[in-house]
Every structure is written in structure tokens, then in C-alpha cells.
Amino acid sequence: MVRIQFQSIHIDAIAETSSVNKGTNRIIGRRHSVKVNQGLGEVAGEHNVILGGKHVVQDSDRFDMKHPTQKS
């Protein structure tokens, strides 16, 4: 058994596929996958202006999937 102990922990953000657990946890049979492509990235600060931007995303990781459709 591995025991990890922290004096304190600070969490800035929780993403869609993340979790925070305390105590004895057993997570079985859970799967989730999300893919996000951003051509611009992130703009931070004050008084930012972006005009007429053109952005290209080269995505060659082949992780994209088409969601299955249900037939009635």
C-alpha cells in the first residue's frame, strides 16, 4: 500500500475528467475522454484586442472520434 501525505493542498481548477477524493477510494469502471483543440490558445491580461486573426490547428494524434448514433 502506498501512503502519500500532504501538509496542505490547493486546487486551482478541476477539469471535466478530474476528481478530488479523500479517504479510502476505489473507482472502478469509470472512463471518460475529452479532446479540445485550440488554435489561438489563451490571451491573458488587460486591454487585449485581437482583430482578423487566422489560426490553424495541426492535429495528427488520431484521437478524434465520431460519437455513435443510436438507431431506433
Side-chain angles (χ1 to χ4, degrees):
M1 178 178 192
V2 176
R3 183 178 176 133
I4 301 171
Q5 187 172 355
F6 298 99
Q7 290 294 88
S8 65
I9 186 167
H10 176 82
I11 300 170
D12 286 326
I14 301 284
E16 294 177 23
T17 59
S18 300
S19 67
V20 175
N21 304 295
K22 180 184 175 200
T24 303
N25 298 285
R26 181 175 292 157
I27 302 172
I28 299 173
R30 301 285 184 196
R31 290 188 336 179
H32 186 76
S33 61
V34 173
K35 180 173 179 183
V36 176
N37 292 328
Q38 292 184 330
L40 176 60
E42 180 178 321
V43 177
E46 297 179 11
H47 310 293
N48 295 304
V49 178
I50 299 173
L51 299 172
K54 294 184 181 183
H55 312 282
V56 176
V57 175
Q58 288 184 315
D59 180 16
S60 60
D61 64 8
R62 299 176 186 237
F63 183 71
D64 297 322
M65 10 163 109
K66 182 178 179 182
H67 292 285
T69 56
Q70 294 180 347
K71 294 182 179 178
S72 338

